[in-house]
Amino acid sequence: MFKDETTHLIALLDAADRLPGASEMRLRSYELLGAAPGRSVVDVGCGAGRAVAEMAGQGARAVGVDFQDQMIAAARERWPQAEFEVAGAYELPLADGTLDGYRADKVFHELDEPARALAEAQRVLTPGGRIVLTGQDWDAFVIDADDAALTRTIVHARADLLPSPRAARHYRNLLLDGGFEDVGVEAAMAVLTDPAVLPMLVGLAEGARSAGAVSGPDAEAWVAEQRERARAGRTFLAIPLFTASATRG
């Protein structure tokens, strides 16, 4: 990944961390994970490393992994006292049965083979270890717009550009199929009305247009409406978020 793309992605992740309720969801994931003094945990797809630093601050022995070396470099620069490694979700640089916790936040929708990642989680977790998956369902975004049919097309087409856009709604069954026990799922809805969400809406339309699902003029008209809504303080985007947790048997 090029440097400017990494910088853009970090900016998006930082913006997501500032969304209403984001901090509370992270803290809840640490609670479900059991991130506490003496516990060894991994944050898979750690991005710029905020969660790793926060869990280490709670006394856990935390390591963050991300397949993008430039992302890991950014994480190390931001949190020099924390531990980070370049690695993907399918091949973690960790020994069998050595971890008490496995966390992946906004990661599984980017994976072609979520079940393979869960098999790797099973490998590195000790019996009784905890796993926590969090993320949004890209196919279920709720957007206020005049043309409901066009909006549905844009949301679904943008979702389908991802390897596993509906991974979050599958968390429970993925964990059950992966042999995990005590599976639980919690849900929340992020309701965004600030004009700052406009770039995300523009990105949805651009993705749908690039996929050939909507025409250029239709995408432009939809974006123009969203710009006017943002100017008038009438933006509405709701994103369903799921947190699943389970125990390795």
Side-chain angles (χ1 to χ4, degrees), residues 143-147 150-151 154 197-209 214-231 235:
I143 303 168
D144 192 12
D146 291 341
D147 191 330
L150 176 60
T151 302
I154 287 172
V197 78
L198 182 61
M200 181 183 294
L201 296 170
V202 173
L204 294 176
E206 290 178 346
R209 181 191 55 77
V214 299
S215 69
D218 279 348
E220 291 169 6
W222 192 86
V223 167
E225 180 198 336
Q226 293 303 320
R227 291 189 189 281
E228 177 57 26
R229 285 175 175 271
R231 186 197 64 77
T235 299

Side-chain angles (χ1 to χ4, degrees), residues 31-72:
E31 179 183 2
L32 292 167
L33 194 65
R39 300 268 292 178
S40 297
V41 300
V42 64
D43 191 42
V44 177
C46 66
R50 184 184 303 276
V52 175
E54 290 180 342
M55 289 189 290
Q58 293 184 346
R61 297 192 301 272
V63 58
V65 302
D66 199 290
F67 78 97
Q68 298 173 14
D69 54 357
Q70 292 184 4
M71 189 67 77
I72 290 298

